[in-house]
Amino acid sequence: MKNYKTQYLIIGSGIIGLSIAKSLKEKSPDSDILMLEKESEVGTHASGRNSGVLHAGFYYTADSFKAKFAKEGNQRLTEYCKQKGLKINNAGKVVVATNEKDLETLFELKRRGDKNGVDISVVDEDELSSLEPAAMTHKNALYSPTTSTVDPKEIVKQLQIDLEKQGVRFLFNEGYYRNHGDNRIETSSNKIIIADRIINTAGLYADKVAKDFNFSKNCTIIPFKGIYLKNKAGELKIKKHIYPVPNIDNPFLGVHFTTSVDGAIKLGPTAIPAFWRENYKGFDNFKLGEMFNILGWEANLFLSNSFGFRNLAFTEMRKYYRNYFVNLAKPLLRADIELDSLIIKTEPGMRAQLLNTKTKELLQDFVIEGNKKSVHILNAVSPALTASFPFADYIVEKYIK
């Protein structure tokens, strides 16, 4: 049995784990860091499967981590992509309304954006037509010029290259197995790692790892599957991201159009309740115990209809039918725009959404728990990519250094 010793052990090499390693190296270049990754490369799950949108930061209430870090994160990742020569599409975004009720939420988003210091403006129908001729709205829309798209896989690979040059070690194909106490953990192939500090950024399994360290006591992750439809570049004449006014009482932003870095248009995502944590396709990565646990919680939420889960489940499951899925997006566009080219299904992603098991509510913000020995990053969902650099700095300064 081989033993490893390290100053910092980071479990999971998604965007948050990589960004924490980056922050640690910037603050202490001599830091000894080992990254434990159960897959064969970085960013295999949420970090490499998301939409790649760099959000501006106007969706979130001013007292949240998301609001605190989205604007700065957008700026810093934009600068990073330009510095490293990575792809970025500074398309901008419009948020459109379909009725009078939507307008109330639209102006609430404007107020949030103003409080968060975000560059955002209210436009009328004529101004919207000038900005994005394909979009339709009811009276008013929001325009966000700083919303962009990147290639998330390109970013995590570049971060790996940067970190390896600085001496960060990566242990691939080795998952976390269990905690032996005194900051000794065992890997999936029975290796022992002893660390001064353990940082849990395990994504879909972050809650399970945290429970091994007596954290995440009243939380569990409920996975939601995200699927996009897309076309080939140039087949649909949309320039900007077109989003609906969201339901701000839940963490999902509704079906929308995203302009990718390669010019293709994506429609989505779904938020389909999944049956196990890596339930991407068929029975891949099937785990019976996980399925029973997650189905138990989903049945509980369905019967109690907490946060409108029953309607959410019915609506999302219907999105497996392409015509229903596409029809949801038609109110965002002019009536003469055809969506027949949206036929390519993208690689599914999984949202590691944290549920408070006492209140049966989906937690909206990032969650951090820990002590002097270990730190656990929970609910690092959208806009985690956008917020990753300043969020990592905060974790390092507040919980690690």
Side-chain angles (χ1 to χ4, degrees):
M1 183 183 291
K2 185 173 181 179
N3 287 6
Y4 290 79
K5 287 189 177 181
T6 185
Q7 184 180 9
Y8 299 108
L9 171 66
I10 301 176
I11 301 171
S13 65
I15 187 64
I16 299 300
L18 293 166
S19 297
I20 290 173
K22 175 179 181 292
S23 182
L24 283 168
K25 277 295 184 182
E26 287 171 348
K27 291 170 175 55
S28 302
D30 294 332
S31 297
D32 177 29
I33 302 171
L34 176 64
M35 302 203 68
L36 184 70
E37 173 54 58
K38 70 185 181 72
E39 307 296 350
S40 60
E41 59 184 357
V42 297
T44 301
H45 295 283
S47 296
R49 294 170 177 259
N50 64 65
S51 66
V53 173
L54 297 188
H55 292 279
F58 59 84
Y59 285 111
Y60 323 113
T61 56
D63 59 344
S64 66
F65 284 127
K66 292 182 177 183
K68 184 178 178 69
F69 302 122
K71 179 187 174 184
E72 181 188 346
N74 179 304
Q75 294 168 341
R76 287 177 59 181
L77 260 178
T78 298
E79 291 167 4
Y80 182 78
C81 288
K82 290 177 179 177
Q83 176 193 356
K84 300 291 182 179
L86 308 181
K87 294 189 289 289
I88 186 165
N89 180 359
N90 299 112
K93 175 165 75 175
V94 293
V95 180
V96 299
T98 57
N99 52 47
E100 284 290 325
K101 186 177 180 183
D102 278 353
L103 292 177
E104 297 175 19
T105 304
L106 187 141
F107 283 100
E108 168 59 22
L109 294 179
K110 175 63 166 68
R111 286 189 289 271
R112 291 182 181 186
D114 290 343
K115 284 183 179 179
N116 298 342
V118 174
D119 182 2
I120 188 170
S121 57
V122 176
V123 298
D124 61 23
E125 291 170 285
D126 290 338
E127 291 170 307
L128 175 65
S129 181
S130 175
L131 289 165
E132 176 49 82
M136 282 284 291
T137 197
H138 175 73
K139 294 184 180 178
N140 294 110
L142 288 179
Y143 172 49
S144 164
T146 59
T147 301
S148 306
T149 41
V150 295
D151 181 343
K153 289 185 178 179
E154 197 177 44
I155 289 174
V156 294
K157 287 299 293 182
Q158 184 62 53
L159 283 168
Q160 179 190 353
I161 292 168
D162 294 348
L163 291 169
E164 286 181 329
K165 287 179 180 177
Q166 297 174 78
V168 174
R169 294 174 291 162
F170 286 79
L171 196 57
F172 290 109
N173 299 305
E174 285 284 1
Y176 169 89
Y177 177 54
R178 62 182 171 184
N179 175 25
H180 285 280
D182 294 323
N183 275 28
R184 295 167 59 92
I185 70 107
E186 184 178 345
T187 73
S188 52
S189 67
N190 305 119
K191 294 180 175 67
I192 296 295
I193 302 175
I194 304 166
D196 296 336
R197 299 296 298 275
I198 294 174
I199 303 151
N200 166 20
T201 60
L204 284 161
Y205 289 92
D207 63 324
K208 294 192 76 173
V209 174
K211 288 179 192 301
D212 254 11
F213 290 80
N214 293 315
F215 292 102
S216 189
K217 292 180 180 178
N218 299 315
C219 296
T220 191
I221 283 175
I222 301 294
F224 289 85
K225 185 185 297 186
I227 301 170
Y228 285 86
L229 295 175
K230 73 173 184 176
N231 60 14
K232 295 178 182 177
E235 289 184 331
L236 188 58
K237 302 302 179 184
I238 292 176
K239 300 185 297 181
K240 301 190 181 301
H241 314 304
I242 306 175
Y243 280 58
V245 171
N247 174 0
I248 57 177
D249 292 329
N250 74 44
F252 309 114
L253 296 180
V255 173
H256 51 264
F257 293 95
T258 301
T259 306
S260 304
V261 289
D262 61 1
I265 304 301
K266 294 196 296 186
L267 173 65
T270 62
I272 300 168
F275 300 142
W276 57 95
R277 293 177 190 237
E278 295 176 9
N279 178 203
Y280 296 117
K281 183 180 178 182
F283 282 90
D284 290 353
N285 305 305
F286 174 72
K287 293 182 175 66
L288 184 64
E290 265 185 30
M291 186 185 73
F292 281 129
N293 180 264
I294 289 167
L295 281 176
W297 274 111
E298 289 175 349
N300 186 315
L301 297 173
F302 188 89
L303 292 171
S304 63
N305 200 28
S306 299
F307 61 85
F309 181 81
R310 195 178 303 150
N311 181 61
L312 174 70
F314 281 132
T315 300
E316 293 299 323
M317 293 300 287
R318 290 176 70 187
K319 289 179 184 175
Y320 276 122
Y321 298 98
R322 182 192 173 278
N323 288 344
Y324 176 77
F325 193 6
V326 170
N327 285 336
L328 288 175
K330 286 185 175 180
L332 309 182
L333 302 178
R334 288 198 334 258
D336 61 329
I337 294 180
E338 296 290 336
L339 299 177
D340 295 341
S341 64
L342 290 164
I343 56 174
I344 305 168
K345 277 190 177 181
T346 63
E347 182 180 50
M350 206 68 68
R351 182 187 181 99
Q353 178 61 54
L354 204 63
L355 173 77
N356 184 315
T357 54
K358 284 193 170 182
T359 64
K360 298 181 186 177
E361 294 175 330
L362 298 182
L363 297 177
Q364 296 265 19
D365 207 3
F366 306 145
V367 176
I368 311 166
E369 297 181 3
N371 56 24
K372 291 181 179 181
K373 292 186 175 183
S374 67
V375 181
H376 306 270
I377 318 305
L378 306 165
N379 211 44
V381 293
S382 179
L385 171 66
T386 306
S388 55
F389 285 2
F391 182 46
D393 287 345
Y394 173 83
I395 292 164
V396 169
E397 290 163 8
K398 180 83 173 177
Y399 290 88
I400 300 173
K401 300 300 287 186

